[in-house]
Amino acid sequence: MRLFSKNRLPATKSNGGLAECLGYVGSCLEQLLFDQEYWLNCALVEDTEIRVTVDEARLANIYTDLLLQEGNFFSRAVPGLWQPEQERKEGLQLCENDLIHVKNIGEKSEWEGTSLLTGQRGLVPLTAVDPTLHPFHQWFLKNYAVRFGISQQISGMTSQPIVTGKCTAREDYRGVARDELSFCKGDGIEVIGFFIPGLPWFVGKSLSSGSIGFVPTRHIRTEACEPLRRVFLSEEEKFSLLHIPCNGDEQHFITLLGDLACTDITSVYWLDGFEPTAIFPKVPSEAVLHGCKDIQQLQSLEEINDFATTRTSKLSSPGSESTPATLEQTILKKVDDFDHPTFFTDLNAGHMEDADVFEPILTFLNQDGYVSAFQSLYDLGFSFLTSTFGGLSDEDELGLFLETSRKWAMRNHLVWAHARLCFLLGKLCIKKVKLPKAQGYFEEAMGILDGSFRDLPLLVALHVNLASMYLKRNMKYEFSFLLGKTVALLVCLPGRSFSSENEMEVVTYVLREAIIVGNALLEARVCFLIVKLFLQLGKNDEVLPFAEHLQCLTTTLLSPGATFVPLDARPILSYLYDKKDLPNIALASARLFVPSSIEEAPTLIWRAGLILQNASKLLGSQLERSCIPALACFYLMQALHFSGESNAMPVQRTLYAILSKMYLQHGALDTALCYADRAVTLSTLMGKEEAFESSLFLGWVYLLHSQPGPAADIMCQLSLSLLWKDSTTQSGAVYNLLGIALKGEGQVRKAAENYLRALQKAKETGNKRNQAIALANLGQLSLSRGASHLSELYLLQSAQLYAELQGSKYPEMELAQVLLWLAQAMVNRQRMEDGKLCYELALAFSLKWHNMRSQLRITESLCHFYSQVSSNLQACITYHEHWVYLAQQLQDRELEGDVWRTLSHLYQVPGTSEALRRSLDSAIRSLRIFTDLEKTVKAAEACLQAGKLCYLMQEDELMEKYFQAAFQTALKWEDLSLVMDLCEKAGDIFFNGSRNRDYAVEFYNEGAVPLARKLKDSKTELRLFNKLAELQIGLQDYEKAREFAEQAGRLSIMVGDQLQLLVAFHRLGTVYYFLRMYKVAEDCYLETLALRPPLLQCSREALYYCKVYCRLGDMARHNLKDEKDAAAYFLLALAAATELGDQDLQGLIRAKLRDIPGVPRGPNIGPGG
């Protein structure tokens, strides 16, 4: 599988079914693998595709093995690899390229074979057969078997194409039957329909006599004929077939697009902060704008006005031929109703022997030749039962009437009426499954016509129906006698209407014979007829294999220099896949189909509608206004251009609105704004209602795009336009959006006033949902200004109104947002349990309606609540795990990586072996994601976290690998600052750990410190020296500790950081204490205390004073032997302990003071204080 740019692809020609299937595979993979950003970038969609190639020889071998395992298949004979019959009596005599039905009878080397050409049966060596017959042929020959062998009247494939026009007789011929044309050598004959190589007959017209009849193909030269441009069908036949999938569906998709463009923005208020992106992940607008060609189509408002004005003037000018105001008028043509005579017959009104009763019908049916009114007599659906004959209660009465009419026609020698009545009676007998009687009527009609071609549809219908009777009744001789001419009528006459479902048996027989003899042109022609017949019968399940094979044959029969295909069956296939609920393949087929300008053929509108419908199925959702799939974007753009060329301004406005909504739902706000603006401009030329709705929608998009200024301007204009109108709901919608816009501009008071106006309008109309939204917006406004109590009141009222609307999707989705705000207000007022309940209710409503964006916001709030507000480790982990799921569903990989990283830290907290293993797994997941996204810093930190966990799990070898990977990641991008940060954090792992603490020295002193100096980062260097001093104290290497502490002190003075200087002196005091340099230690501690502020700042500071003075007291008494200083230090420590309020600590210090001789025993020193 490879990704190619389409404009750099080499020109290739399909080699049949396999290549066609691979075309679908590539498209299906695109639909599976490419994200929303790709589909919204129309230039990228147009330029790239996935191409899939396989080893066809290997695929053929696999297919052969499957057939051999099945032991029942059809195969071509391999010439020269079998024994002749005279050498082996049991062997089957084979001809070159003979088609054989092979069955496994238990012998390893020889199987039973039956020749489909001769019907002979015998043993066949496996080496003499080639089972690589086309899969369709295998399927068809197994499923459409006949009771007797082939007629051998059809020959195999030649180099001669299907032709039409005028041909020349190569020799004299005297017709044997009356329906055969007689001619002399050199006579000119016009081909009626097609001349198909391999058929024994065609229908021709003598240019000298004007007679029409069957002409034997072997007596004709076709050098002067013209090859059929479409290879195996006429232009008219192509149009009629392509009209089938869009018949009705075109109007359906136009209605569908109109519904998708609609919005309730004029009647339903908008909840501030409620995102329309309920389903899809957000897409960067830059990528979309870069690939959106249509944005450059009309660059400015003035250009759109000019464009629209030009269109309008052209349509309204006196010389204009038409004024297509809608797409329906442009692409849907109305079919005129034909005036067919209807005979109302009452069998009780007159006597059956009264000739006057039957005169009207006999006169009508006895017309010489074919007239259009006869169409209902010969069609597929027995429409003559209702369209031609009326007044008869059932088919039995009609049969009686027709039988009596037939007798009157015979009595009066009305040849044409007699023949047509026999045909109609035969059709009625077929419907009642009275086949022998139907056969008798058809044979009678054939005898009456005596070879006349003046009513060609009747002649065709009689031949085909009679042949089907012979085939059903296993009358081999009669069928073979009639077959040659029947095939000529059935296959060679373009535009012919089917007359009976029984024709399918004859057509499939002809297809079987074409496959057996290898006549590909005839096979394609017959396959086309089968597809057309099945579609007219509505048998979508049966037609699909034939339609797929027809598409394969279409590409197979192309000549090397062909610039067009005879028939693109993809719209048929798309239609069928859609009916069979196969959205992935339907999408692939529809996307590969390129609509043409042919009238009544599927258009770009049809394709866009089909793609929209199936893209939604692929996503597992219903197609609705709130979730328009991005996959349809490119095809909606093409439909937009088509509607522009068709002068269909309302449809252009519809498509602009849909594209704006689509980009809005995917978070591409810049592009959504552009299309909404174009929709407004076109709407102003259509009507006030359309202009109002489009303008309101545009203002809403501005609000979503965080542009309250333009939104407020639009809302002010709309509110002025509604002053003198009775439109309460619309006014309320405008006031609500105006309030949101004013809030965005910081005009809180005016925003509140407009919210209150909107609330009043909603109360006037009794619309509880709008009332709830207005109250919620007031609550959110109060919450944003810190008025939590007022906010809670508004939000509770809103929630109560929503509770009355439960069961509806969008109100409950809005309620989730209201509950989220209510939870925040309650938490602000320290009502934790109520806040937790509101959070979890909000999440429940979002889960109910699968609103991913809402779930994301609520889950994030719950994670913060359980980690920072009301600590609960297990709940925090549970909601973080749901957060990961949401990030995956929204395809936000970076967010997913961030949450996995947080989960890694949460899993680590218990410290058990299982917890550490889960933590490591989460860290590795985040590492993979950040590596794929090339997030260097995050990837390096994830490596470090994984290394830390390996350290805690005592897997040192793995730990070193992760550390090394972290440093390599940072060094790859030559980010020295990151390397320094990683060295410090790696050292921190050992510094804070319980094993190998000395390893931290290497990371600090040899890794981070040199880099800090190189980067001239004095603060980091100072922090590192402080850590090194503390570490060496813990390792009891006091000399090195003193060195690091002194360096830290010097850096503190240089940096001017008093706090760090205080820390450095404290470290020095501790080092000198352990070095037993007590006087110096005393000086350092006193210097530390001198750097502290004169007034106590907090309890921790009092504790620090207490501890330092206690140490100074102990040094003065025990080491410096100065009891006076010791007593003074202990008294200061006691004062700090008293400030701290720690009774135990005070008791300890008093005990120390009592042990010093000469210290007076005051009330604060004696026992009990």
Side-chain angles (χ1 to χ4, degrees):
M1 182 181 74
R2 298 182 67 186
L3 184 65
F4 285 88
S5 173
K6 289 181 183 177
N7 56 12
R8 293 194 294 273
L9 286 177
T12 58
K13 178 183 159 184
S14 171
N15 63 347
L18 178 59
E20 199 59 42
C21 291
L22 291 179
Y24 286 168
V25 170
S27 297
C28 289
L29 284 173
E30 291 170 4
Q31 291 149 202
L32 176 68
L33 299 177
F34 291 159
D35 59 11
Q36 310 296 334
E37 183 176 346
Y38 170 84
W39 295 113
L40 293 175
N41 188 336
C42 295
L44 191 61
V45 172
E46 190 174 22
D47 187 55
T48 58
E49 70 175 0
I50 290 178
R51 298 185 70 196
V52 180
T53 56
V54 297
D55 186 340
E56 296 195 25
R58 181 171 177 78
L59 192 62
N61 289 335
I62 294 172
Y63 179 56
T64 301
D65 291 341
L66 290 173
L67 290 176
L68 292 172
Q69 289 176 27
E70 184 181 352
N72 182 4
F73 57 88
F74 294 86
S75 170
R76 293 284 181 193
V78 180
L81 296 180
W82 64 87
Q83 295 178 355
E85 186 179 10
Q86 60 267 26
E87 295 181 16
R88 185 167 183 183
K89 294 183 180 179
E90 294 182 359
L92 178 64
Q93 185 178 6
L94 302 174
C95 302
E96 183 176 350
N97 211 31
D98 197 357
L99 193 59
I100 317 159
H101 184 196
V102 183
K103 290 184 179 179
N104 185 355
I105 56 173
E107 297 289 336
K108 291 185 178 179
S109 60
E110 292 183 322
W111 287 9
E112 181 185 86
T114 304
S115 171
L116 299 187
L117 192 63
T118 63
Q120 293 181 346
R121 180 178 298 177
L123 296 178
V124 178
L126 278 178
T127 55
V129 297
D130 176 18
T132 57
L133 196 64
H134 195 286
F136 172 81
H137 294 161
Q138 295 282 359
W139 170 84
F140 175 78
L141 293 172
K142 287 179 183 178
N143 287 276
Y144 287 83
V146 293
R147 298 177 184 178
F148 44 82
I150 67 172
S151 66
Q152 300 189 22
Q153 297 184 43
I154 299 173
S155 60
M157 187 70 173
T158 67
S159 59
Q160 187 179 357
I162 296 177
V163 297
T164 187
K166 297 175 182 178
C167 55
T168 307
R170 68 169 72 243
E171 56 188 65
D172 296 345
Y173 178 75
R174 179 66 57 190
V176 177
R178 291 183 62 102
D179 59 1
E180 297 175 11
L181 191 66
S182 299
F183 49 82
C184 299
K185 181 179 180 180
D187 282 355
I189 299 173
E190 181 182 354
V191 178
I192 305 297
F194 303 145
F195 179 103
I196 300 179
L199 294 186
W201 302 91
F202 72 94
V203 180
K205 177 180 180 181
S206 173
L207 296 178
S208 58
S209 65
S211 301
I212 299 176
F214 290 108
V215 180
T217 56
R218 65 181 180 274
H219 298 305
I220 298 300
R221 286 169 28 194
T222 59
E223 289 82 356
C225 293
E226 297 178 3
L228 199 61
R229 184 171 180 266
R230 292 283 173 187
V231 183
F232 61 85
L233 76 165
S234 66
E235 294 284 344
E236 293 76 12
E237 287 178 313
K238 176 183 176 180
F239 303 158
S240 65
L241 184 67
L242 291 181
H243 177 65
I244 292 173
C246 69
N247 185 22
D249 274 358
E250 191 86 39
Q251 179 60 50
H252 164 71
F253 289 134
I254 291 170
T255 305
L256 174 71
L257 292 174
D259 183 64
L260 289 177
C262 289
T263 176
D264 57 7
I265 193 70
T266 61
S267 58
V268 178
Y269 294 178
W270 180 53
L271 186 66
D272 189 10
F274 185 73
E275 291 187 59
T277 52
I279 302 295
F280 304 108
K282 290 190 175 182
V283 175
S285 292
E286 299 79 21
V288 175
L289 283 169
H290 177 72
C292 185
K293 291 184 175 180
D294 190 68
I295 292 297
Q296 285 78 41
Q297 180 189 4
L298 298 170
Q299 292 292 343
S300 66
L301 193 64
E302 291 75 14
E303 289 180 13
I304 299 179
N305 278 321
D306 292 342
F307 164 78
T309 305
T310 304
R311 293 288 189 190
T312 306
S313 62
K314 284 182 179 180
L315 296 177
S316 60
S317 62
S320 176
E321 295 182 0
S322 61
T323 57
T326 65
L327 190 63
E328 293 90 329
Q329 295 170 335
T330 304
I331 63 177
L332 297 181
K333 304 297 181 182
K334 296 181 180 179
V335 180
D336 294 332
D337 294 328
F338 292 104
D339 292 328
H340 295 296
T342 302
F343 300 95
F344 293 94
T345 306
D346 184 0
L347 297 180
N348 298 319
H351 198 274
M352 296 294 286
E353 296 297 323
D354 186 356
D356 294 337
V357 174
F358 301 96
E359 183 180 357
I361 185 65
L362 293 174
T363 303
F364 169 67
L365 293 177
N366 201 50
Q367 296 182 70
D368 190 359
Y370 175 78
V371 294
S372 61
F374 292 157
Q375 181 60 42
S376 65
L377 305 180
Y378 309 144
D379 65 13
L380 191 60
F382 286 85
S383 63
F384 70 90
L385 295 176
T386 56
S387 65
T388 305
F389 300 96
L392 300 172
S393 59
D394 56 28
E395 292 180 12
D396 291 334
E397 285 192 0
L398 177 62
L400 176 61
F401 176 73
L402 292 177
E403 178 61 32
T404 308
S405 300
R406 168 180 160 274
K407 292 176 181 178
W408 276 104
M410 291 174 60
R411 188 180 304 173
N412 294 302
H413 305 289
L414 304 175
V415 175
W416 283 106
H418 185 188
R420 291 180 179 119
L421 285 165
C422 286
F423 173 72
L424 293 177
L425 284 163
K427 289 191 73 173
L428 280 177
C429 290
I430 289 175
K431 193 173 184 183
K432 296 178 180 180
V433 200
K434 296 180 179 180
L435 302 186
K437 200 170 182 179
Q439 178 184 324
Y441 281 125
F442 291 144
E443 287 175 338
E444 182 179 339
M446 289 277 285
I448 297 166
L449 288 180
D450 197 23
S452 174
F453 280 78
R454 288 200 294 274
D455 189 346
L456 196 55
L458 175 61
L459 185 67
V460 176
L462 284 170
H463 273 80
V464 175
N465 280 279
L466 186 56
S468 72
M469 294 299 101
Y470 292 150
L471 195 58
K472 279 180 179 290
R473 303 188 66 203
N474 201 22
M475 302 172 71
K476 180 178 180 181
Y477 174 78
E478 291 83 351
F479 177 77
S480 298
F481 179 79
L482 190 63
L483 180 64
K485 294 175 180 177
T486 300
V487 171
L489 294 171
L490 183 67
V491 177
C492 296
L493 299 179
R496 183 186 67 81
S497 298
F498 298 104
S499 62
S500 170
E501 188 173 342
N502 292 316
E503 291 188 32
M504 183 59 68
E505 296 184 4
V506 181
V507 179
T508 52
Y509 178 89
V510 177
L511 177 59
R512 183 182 180 88
E513 192 154 337
I515 292 172
I516 292 170
V517 300
N519 191 329
L521 281 173
L522 180 59
E523 180 184 347
R525 176 74 185 161
V526 176
C527 199
F528 160 74
L529 294 174
I530 291 174
V531 169
K532 187 176 179 181
L533 178 54
F534 268 138
L535 286 172
Q536 288 187 10
L537 292 170
K539 296 185 176 181
N540 295 332
D541 290 335
E542 290 90 337
V543 72
L544 186 56
F546 296 97
E548 290 174 330
H549 187 54
L550 180 62
Q551 179 66 20
C552 295
L553 287 171
T554 296
T555 53
T556 303
L557 294 173
L558 281 178
S559 59
T563 58
F564 65 93
V565 294
L567 173 70
D568 187 354
R570 290 192 185 99
I572 303 291
L573 290 170
S574 305
Y575 167 80
L576 294 172
Y577 292 137
D578 178 53
K579 295 299 181 186
K580 288 181 69 66
D581 202 21
L582 298 170
N584 213 344
I585 307 177
L587 275 173
S589 181
R591 289 177 51 224
L592 290 171
F593 167 60
V594 180
S596 62
S597 57
I598 299 171
E599 271 190 39
E600 300 186 4
T603 65
L604 289 158
I605 297 289
W606 177 88
R607 183 177 70 170
L610 189 75
I611 288 173
L612 273 170
Q613 190 166 277
N614 284 277
S616 293
K617 290 180 184 177
L618 200 61
L619 292 168
S621 63
Q622 292 282 341
L623 180 61
E624 54 186 30
R625 300 173 190 174
S626 61
C627 51
I628 304 172
L631 193 148
C633 179
F634 176 73
Y635 308 98
L636 286 169
M637 292 283 192
Q638 291 190 331
L640 177 62
H641 295 313
F642 169 71
S643 63
E645 293 170 0
S646 304
N647 300 337
M649 194 180 300
V651 179
Q652 284 180 277
R653 181 248 182 187
T654 295
L655 290 168
Y656 276 132
I658 291 173
L659 286 164
S660 179
K661 291 175 72 173
M662 172 189 288
Y663 282 112
L664 181 63
Q665 289 163 15
H666 291 87
L669 299 177
D670 289 328
T671 316
L673 199 58
C674 292
Y675 283 113
D677 190 47
R678 282 155 176 70
V680 169
T681 306
L682 288 174
S683 299
T684 56
L685 303 168
M686 293 170 55
K688 293 182 179 180
E689 287 298 321
E690 292 85 354
F692 179 84
E693 180 181 345
S694 296
S695 298
L696 199 61
F697 182 80
L698 176 61
W700 180 52
V701 177
Y702 271 121
L703 287 174
L704 292 172
H705 201 20
S706 301
Q707 296 186 32
D713 293 340
I714 292 173
M715 297 307 148
C716 288
Q717 293 176 11
L718 291 176
S719 64
L720 290 174
S721 69
L722 294 173
L723 283 177
W724 311 111
K725 294 183 180 179
D726 184 15
S727 51
T728 307
T729 301
Q730 291 181 341
S731 298
V734 172
Y735 285 135
N736 181 65
L737 288 176
L738 181 56
I740 296 171
L742 292 170
K743 177 202 164 193
E745 291 185 313
Q747 301 184 50
V748 178
R749 181 179 293 277
K750 289 185 177 181
E753 290 172 356
N754 279 279
Y755 284 149
L756 290 169
R757 290 192 187 103
L759 178 60
Q760 182 59 38
K761 294 291 184 182
K763 288 180 178 179
E764 289 176 13
T765 58
N767 190 320
K768 291 186 178 181
R769 181 181 174 187
N770 284 348
Q771 291 177 49
I773 292 172
L775 286 166
N777 285 338
L778 280 165
Q780 200 276 336
L781 178 65
S782 304
L783 184 63
S784 67
R785 305 304 296 178
S788 298
H789 180 65
L790 182 60
S791 172
E792 185 178 329
L793 293 175
Y794 281 130
L795 293 171
L796 280 171
Q797 291 181 56
S798 175
Q800 288 169 359
L801 286 169
Y802 273 120
E804 299 176 20
L805 302 171
Q806 280 190 13
S808 300
K809 178 178 179 180
Y810 290 104
E812 289 194 351
M813 288 167 61
E814 292 164 359
L815 176 58
Q817 179 64 54
V818 172
L819 288 170
L820 177 61
W821 289 334
L822 185 57
Q824 292 168 353
M826 289 177 170
V827 169
N828 289 348
R829 300 186 64 211
Q830 302 302 310
R831 294 170 57 185
M832 302 305 174
E833 287 301 318
D834 291 340
K836 180 175 74 171
L837 176 62
C838 289
Y839 276 133
E840 293 178 349
L841 278 173
L843 183 59
F845 282 116
S846 294
L847 285 167
K848 178 181 178 180
W849 297 109
H850 309 289
N851 189 333
M852 296 297 178
R853 289 284 171 195
S854 178
Q855 288 181 54
L856 190 69
R857 289 194 301 270
I858 298 166
T859 303
E860 185 178 359
S861 297
L862 277 164
C863 289
H864 176 267
F865 178 80
Y866 283 115
S867 63
Q868 304 294 327
V869 180
S870 179
S871 184
N872 184 327
L873 178 62
Q874 189 54 51
C876 194
I877 287 174
T878 300
Y879 286 114
H880 272 87
E881 288 172 342
H882 184 60
W883 200 354
V884 167
Y885 165 77
L886 293 174
Q888 290 170 344
Q889 294 299 305
L890 293 168
Q891 300 174 22
D892 192 335
R893 302 259 351 229
E894 186 171 3
L895 175 61
E896 182 187 350
D898 290 336
V899 183
W900 276 123
R901 181 175 58 182
T902 306
L903 263 175
S904 177
H905 292 292
L906 291 172
Y907 286 144
Q908 181 187 335
V909 173
T912 63
S913 176
E914 182 183 353
L916 292 174
R917 183 63 60 186
R918 291 180 70 189
S919 178
L920 178 60
D921 180 63
S922 299
I924 292 171
R925 287 172 183 265
S926 68
L927 171 60
R928 288 171 180 164
I929 292 171
F930 293 140
T931 302
D932 290 344
L933 297 176
E934 296 185 349
K935 299 292 182 181
T936 308
V937 176
K938 292 183 177 181
E941 289 176 348
C943 281
L944 207 62
Q945 170 67 2
K948 176 183 178 180
L949 293 165
C950 292
Y951 167 79
L952 295 172
M953 297 164 65
Q954 299 187 17
E955 296 182 8
D956 293 346
E957 185 176 349
L958 197 56
M959 173 196 71
E960 290 178 3
K961 290 182 179 179
Y962 279 119
F963 282 171
Q964 187 177 6
F967 293 126
Q968 286 177 348
T969 301
L971 290 169
K972 178 182 177 181
W973 298 95
E974 299 180 354
D975 190 341
L976 296 182
S977 179
L978 177 59
V979 176
M980 178 186 70
D981 187 49
L982 293 174
C983 285
E984 182 178 3
K985 289 179 178 177
D988 290 344
I989 293 171
F990 296 102
F991 179 83
N992 298 316
S994 58
R995 298 185 304 110
N996 304 327
R997 294 192 73 224
D998 55 315
Y999 287 10
V1001 177
E1002 181 179 353
F1003 286 105
Y1004 287 154
N1005 198 33
E1006 298 179 16
V1009 169
L1011 289 171
R1013 287 174 176 168
K1014 185 173 183 179
L1015 295 170
K1016 297 181 180 180
D1017 189 346
S1018 301
K1019 290 186 177 181
T1020 300
E1021 187 181 0
L1022 172 59
R1023 185 173 63 251
L1024 289 165
F1025 280 131
N1026 278 322
K1027 289 181 180 180
L1028 281 165
E1030 181 69 20
L1031 179 63
Q1032 294 296 358
I1033 291 171
L1035 296 173
Q1036 298 181 3
D1037 190 344
Y1038 301 120
E1039 287 295 337
K1040 288 185 177 179
R1042 183 181 66 178
E1043 178 185 343
F1044 291 132
E1046 288 174 349
Q1047 289 179 322
R1050 286 193 290 271
L1051 277 170
S1052 299
I1053 295 170
M1054 183 178 68
V1055 172
D1057 189 332
Q1058 188 170 356
L1059 179 60
Q1060 292 298 324
L1061 182 60
L1062 183 150
V1063 172
F1065 274 114
H1066 182 86
R1067 295 267 194 279
L1068 278 170
T1070 304
V1071 170
Y1072 285 124
Y1073 174 80
F1074 285 117
L1075 288 172
R1076 300 182 180 181
M1077 300 172 66
Y1078 300 114
K1079 188 60 180 174
V1080 182
E1082 182 183 25
D1083 293 340
C1084 290
Y1085 280 131
L1086 290 172
E1087 186 65 31
T1088 300
L1089 293 170
L1091 291 170
R1092 305 295 298 184
L1095 297 175
L1096 290 178
Q1097 304 296 318
C1098 60
S1099 59
R1100 292 179 62 189
E1101 193 170 348
L1103 179 61
Y1104 175 76
Y1105 275 115
C1106 185
K1107 289 182 177 181
V1108 173
Y1109 280 124
C1110 280
R1111 172 162 286 188
L1112 284 169
D1114 287 335
M1115 282 196 304
R1117 184 183 178 198
H1118 300 295
N1119 304 117
L1120 298 175
K1121 307 300 182 180
D1122 189 339
E1123 293 181 347
K1124 183 178 178 182
D1125 285 351
Y1129 289 140
F1130 283 134
L1131 285 170
L1132 289 170
L1134 181 60
T1138 303
E1139 183 70 26
L1140 193 61
D1142 190 331
Q1143 296 296 329
D1144 294 336
L1145 190 56
Q1146 291 176 42
L1148 180 63
I1149 297 171
R1150 289 192 186 97
K1152 289 179 180 289
L1153 282 168
R1154 285 196 299 270
D1155 291 340
I1156 299 175
V1159 176
R1161 289 176 174 266
N1164 295 328
I1165 299 175

